[in-house]
Amino acid sequence: MKILFLNTTGGYFGGVEQNIALATKGLTERGHICFFACQKNSAVEQQSFDALFTSTWNLGTVPLDSILAQTKPEVIYVHKFDDIESVRRVSKNIPIVRMIHDHDLYCPRRHKYYALSHKICTKKAGIGCYLDLAFLERGPKGIAFTSIRNKLNDLNENRKLHTLIVGSNYMKGELLRNGFSDGQIALLPPCIAPFAEPPKEFPKENTILFVGQLIRGKGVDTLIKAFALLKNRYPFPVTLEILGTGNDLENLQTLVQEEGLTEVVKFIGWVSHDKLVSFYDNASIVVVPSRWPEPFGMVGVEAMLRQRPVVASKVGGIPDWLEDGKTGFLAPSTEAQAFADKMLILLQDKKLAREFGMAGFRKAETAFSFATYCERLETILMGGNL
């Protein structure tokens, strides 16, 4: 089968592009021919990314209809792409399958929680988005106006697609809420890059680990407050390692100082995926304290593949992979005391922490394996059972 991937960006720019690369490797190994077209190249490991495909194009220089004439794909596989109407216009009878990676399609604010109250939104996209100031967005030059009407029109264009792939039951529910039919939605959790090394033994040191962007929606402030509460109750040395970068870094560093935690909280910065494994292996607990409804939450599954227990917010797609009381603990988002209580249990009961880690490993190896992902994706792209 010939497959044309479409995305805004080329190269190993972020998680979406990592997903495309992994899917391409798996589909190529299964005998399919993969092409790629994007609106711009990121220049991040561009050559190695482009080498995965039979051919690649930049839509700024080669129009899509010309690419379709050259490749004659049997399916167009769209990822992050704003102008879906232009794809539909030139695709003719070629099926279009789109993977929805985040909340951008059905949430004009993109975060799926309210700007002022920070409570999770449970409404469909519509006139109410104006009341939540969704016509404003943060750009490189500060706050700018954006068109909600255009976003609602794009949502309507996406309702006409053949198939939409989502990573969690939460995202499927949001599409159903916004007028998509159950028959056009396929559930496929994101592929997790396999680790080359087997997991290491549980560490003797007590280290709590966060991996992700340092933005308000990730709830790192809640984690720091929970860690402060934990330190007051746990008599042994324990460290919090925070991996990632983002626009909330300075606020979080100030919070650490205010809580008197500068000696035990380490801001590591950005770490490449191949180096993450050592941080997972050195961790006693991995925490996902998101206040926004995570579309899925891949960090948690990666932690499970390293046999580490997870404490995470009960929001979005997280309950799809975290079994409360079996592979870790779920806690109400933004409740620091609840997170502190759950982390304390796992620090005090290392046997339970190991049991959770092993149960998570077994689940991740079966439900979220790379082979399972590729087989399911192949079936969906070939028009099989959703």
Side-chain angles (χ1 to χ4, degrees), residues 161-219:
L161 295 183
H162 184 272
T163 302
L164 295 101
I165 299 174
V166 294
S168 64
N169 282 294
Y170 173 83
M171 295 182 73
K172 180 175 180 177
E174 287 302 312
L175 289 184
L176 293 173
R177 188 198 307 277
N178 281 279
F180 292 82
S181 69
D182 186 76
Q184 70 182 134
I185 305 171
L187 184 61
L188 177 66
C191 55
I192 308 298
F195 292 103
E197 315 164 22
K200 291 187 178 179
E201 290 294 320
F202 213 76
K204 294 181 180 179
E205 298 80 10
N206 296 308
T207 302
I208 294 167
L209 178 66
F210 169 86
V211 180
Q213 288 183 284
L214 303 187
I215 55 178
R216 183 166 177 77
K218 290 293 185 178

Side-chain angles (χ1 to χ4, degrees), residues 83-351:
D83 188 10
I84 204 69
E85 191 275 333
S86 67
V87 180
R88 291 188 58 252
R89 188 172 60 249
V90 300
S91 64
K92 298 181 181 178
N93 295 321
I94 305 171
I96 301 173
V97 176
R98 181 173 189 182
M99 173 168 277
I100 308 300
H101 291 268
D102 48 39
H103 305 314
D104 290 9
L105 176 62
Y106 47 76
C107 178
R109 274 200 74 238
R110 301 182 177 180
H111 310 305
K112 205 55 190 167
Y113 66 86
Y114 294 114
L116 299 179
S117 70
H118 299 131
K119 292 182 179 180
I120 292 174
C121 172
T122 58
K123 306 291 185 182
K124 68 178 183 178
I127 192 170
C129 299
Y130 286 92
L131 300 176
D132 196 45
L133 310 179
F135 51 85
L136 301 176
E137 66 179 11
R138 190 184 302 276
K141 296 182 180 180
I143 301 298
F145 288 98
T146 185
S147 171
I148 294 179
R149 179 186 295 274
N150 288 346
K151 293 182 178 181
L152 295 178
N153 288 340
D154 182 60
L155 180 62
N156 186 56
E157 287 294 326
N158 277 268
R159 292 190 186 101
K160 302 170 186 176
L161 295 183
H162 184 272
T163 302
L164 295 101
I165 299 174
V166 294
S168 64
N169 282 294
Y170 173 83
M171 295 182 73
K172 180 175 180 177
E174 287 302 312
L175 289 184
L176 293 173
R177 188 198 307 277
N178 281 279
F180 292 82
S181 69
D182 186 76
Q184 70 182 134
I185 305 171
L187 184 61
L188 177 66
C191 55
I192 308 298
F195 292 103
E197 315 164 22
K200 291 187 178 179
E201 290 294 320
F202 213 76
K204 294 181 180 179
E205 298 80 10
N206 296 308
T207 302
I208 294 167
L209 178 66
F210 169 86
V211 180
Q213 288 183 284
L214 303 187
I215 55 178
R216 183 166 177 77
K218 290 293 185 178
V220 186
D221 55 332
T222 299
L223 173 58
I224 292 170
K225 293 172 184 176
F227 186 72
L229 294 170
L230 172 69
K231 282 284 294 174
N232 291 333
R233 298 166 60 190
Y234 190 63
F236 303 105
V238 56
T239 301
L240 171 60
E241 291 186 339
I242 299 174
L243 274 63
T245 59
N247 58 27
D248 207 30
L249 174 60
E250 289 187 13
N251 293 332
L252 296 173
Q253 290 173 328
T254 299
L255 180 59
V256 166
Q257 292 175 348
E258 291 173 349
E259 296 286 354
L261 299 171
T262 53
E263 297 297 318
V264 289
V265 176
K266 301 177 182 178
F267 289 92
I268 308 297
W270 182 84
V271 175
S272 62
H273 189 271
D274 60 317
K275 294 180 180 177
L276 272 180
V277 62
S278 63
F279 288 94
Y280 283 127
D281 286 346
N282 290 333
S284 308
I285 305 166
V286 177
V287 184
V288 185
S290 300
R291 60 167 47 84
W292 85 309
E294 291 279 352
F296 182 73
M298 291 175 63
V299 166
V301 179
E302 288 185 343
M304 288 159 57
L305 285 170
R306 304 312 295 174
Q307 298 179 4
R308 297 301 179 258
V310 181
V311 177
S313 298
K314 190 177 181 180
V315 295
I318 291 174
D320 275 23
W321 51 263
L322 200 164
E323 295 182 76
D324 190 35
K326 294 184 179 180
T327 62
F329 288 123
L330 291 169
S333 66
T334 74
E335 291 190 17
Q337 186 64 64
F339 274 91
D341 292 343
K342 301 301 185 183
M343 291 189 293
L344 183 62
I345 292 172
L346 294 173
L347 289 177
Q348 291 177 329
D349 192 340
K350 297 297 177 64
K351 181 175 180 292

